[in-house]
Amino acid sequence: MKRIGVLTSGGDAPGMNAAVRSVVRTALASGAEVYAIYEGYQGMVEGGNCIRPMQWGNVGGILHKGGTIIGTARCAEFRERSGRLLAARNLVHNGIDSLVVIGGDGSLTGSLIFQDEWPSLIEELVQKGDILPETAELHPNLSIAGIVGSIDNDVCDTDMTLGADTALHRIVDAVDAIADTAASHQRAFVIEVMGRKCGYLALMSGIATAADWVLIPEAPPNLDNWEDKMCEVLSQGRQIGRRDSIVIVAEGAQDLHGKPISCDHVRHVLTDRLGEDARVTILGHVQRGGSPTAFDRNLGTMSGATAVDALLAHDEDIPLSSLVAIQSNRFVLTDLRTSLEKTWAVREAVTNQDFDTAMTLRGQGYKEAFKMLRTLVRAQPHVVPADKKRYRLGVINAGAPAPGMNTAVRAAVRLAVDKGHTVIGFQNGFRGLISGDGKELKWMDVNGWAHVGGSFLGTSRHNLEGRDYYTIARTIEEFQLDGLVVVGGWSGYQAVLQLHQQRQNFPAFEIPIVCTPASIDNDLAGADFCVGSDTALNNIVDALDKIKQSAVASRRAFVVEVMGNNSGYLALMSALASGAERVYLPEEGINMQDLLADINMLVTGFKQGKKLGVILRSERANETYTTNFISSLFEEEGGDAFDVRQAILGHIQQGGNPSPFDRIQATRFASKCVAYLEEQLDRDSVVSACVGMIDGRYAFTPFEDLPRQIDRKNGRPRHQWWLGLRPVARVLAQPSPDFRILERDDRR
Ligand code: ADP
């Protein structure tokens, strides 16, 4: 029987527990044995009680916990061959020659060295009589699957590392809070965030919080007198009415010559030259701690399952050491050595002040984000050459409110005004276009919009009919709109489609219209992610954590209803992130056999000692089997085994300030939309389209192609990438490895 070891090493990162849980359960469900190596490489070197077998129940109830339950450490002995010799001996004594290493690039580098040396270490152990030759023959090689646990997002070939999203949440929450006090006192704050060689956290938190200046290691200000430039921008900001000034400094920020830029230096500059009341806040270890976000839990879970699959597959194409990476929402394996070599190359470029290479190696998205930030932080737009074409663009929110709508409008206004265009904001979605309720939005009109949930412009669901077309045409003519940006959901898309179809009757509609997908339900064709859905997902997961905590002493099952319209995205992703026992999706429906099988599963689980069960029901999973019905059925059929409570989460899911990811997406989408309209208008083209991220790339789907991508009968996109995550969710939620969850088709 295959035996896998799992360890967490180096700096801890939120989401490591999800990865450990997933490694343990996936291995056990696949018939393998799994051992935890406590305290990272230290435990491997020490052996003994530090290496222990894990059972299904050992990893229950840990998804919401920050840090790592199996401990982590930095281990100097493992850096020496003598330490690694002890580690090899301890592994072989425990019959382990496959490892899932969850750690930063240091830990993964260590694992590569260990693997390279393995055959010689084994030989030495045989010579010393520590292991028998026949035992050595059983373990000729060491296989490694690496998962990057690092809040810095500093490893190449993977879009995100475990913990980075949570760290960004911690930073953004802190900066939002500091901005409130800064604005009250008209103070400046200089905030240091982690990132010695990588500015990811500083850059992204700068975009998400609308900071006024950001300093990152890979792209120092390209002037020797950068302090003057910074002071100029900040003092201009004061003059036009900004009450707060926020400067975000990455730990490893440096100037053009590699001289570190400290927060204290920035504070002195602001105090001495501008007379600012400036304070420094070093966020420090707060950034590492706390409960992981929904994204990090799911990243950990999917990475853990992928790592075990790689180690158990007898596939010669899988390298002996592989890295589990997420690329465009897909979990893939890369060659660990190659990915680390690229990572080292970026570090080296940053250290050697080869900034062009560093930025190029970080990738196009990073470069674009930095460029966008530099425009958004400005106190005033650039001066536009007189001969540049200028357009009049309308902007509206449409459909149900989604957190991030304000962020998108702010970015669209600033980025368009920066190019010399005029932007008119219309109130209350298409109703404002119908009534002609529009007003020019200037640079400072959208100040303070980036982090606030809801919709300042107002949004509504409105089905266009008869006279509406005429009045909208009149508004377009009256305001001389050349193009329109719609930030919204399904009803907004439908309205745009209708305008598109009415072009023959109303020449005014011959303008390019571009949509930014904004819907908590993540149910729009042409986009893998809609703005607002990440916030809603985190709202749900937070609520589920609280609900679970309320039931410490009893054997209780909760039936929880979540939003989602006709899409099960929120339900499935929150089930995966909270470890829910079962999830009912509109894509699958519910039938009586399902319900009876699930009661059976719950009864078995509770009899085996389970204290708590969570069943998630997406609001439209089935019209007949309502949340109320399911709760009553479970209560009745569960008998003495458990009791049942129900919770309908409701509008709490739609509210709150947007998450960092939603803010960043909203800003990026808005930037793409403005560029798209400019390009269409410059070319005299009037193709309307919606922007989205598809398979990791920004794409515009023309409205003419949209109907083909929509499953009209069911009111959702035909392709929903996230449905592919269902098997892992199902396996991990079982009460035990030997409990066979019947596949839907078996049940029928
Ligand atoms: P992180 O994994 O978070 O980058 P470190 O760089 O501190 O953190 O590495 C964690 C541990 O991994 C180290 O304490 C050491 O035991 C091991 N390690 C790191 N680099 C090497 C190396 N080059 N050779 C051997 N072991 C290493």
Side-chain angles (χ1 to χ4, degrees), residues 7-12 16 40-42 45 72-81 84 101-114 149-152 154 288 344 347:
L7 69 151
T8 50
S9 168
D12 63 318
M16 281 181 162
Y41 291 125
Q42 191 64 46
V45 172
T72 179
R74 297 216 153 83
C75 172
E77 285 151 287
F78 193 78
R79 290 181 183 272
E80 309 297 327
R81 189 184 151 90
R84 296 192 289 271
V101 180
I102 308 165
D105 71 324
S107 304
L108 297 175
T109 304
S111 77
L112 266 187
I113 295 170
F114 190 36
S150 158
I151 64 165
D152 294 334
D154 55 352
R288 263 190 204 294
W344 300 329
R347 281 179 166 248

Side-chain angles (χ1 to χ4, degrees), residues 628-642:
N628 222 341
F629 174 88
I630 295 175
S631 304
S632 307
L633 180 77
F634 282 19
E635 178 76 60
E636 184 66 23
E637 295 294 322
D640 293 338
F642 60 97

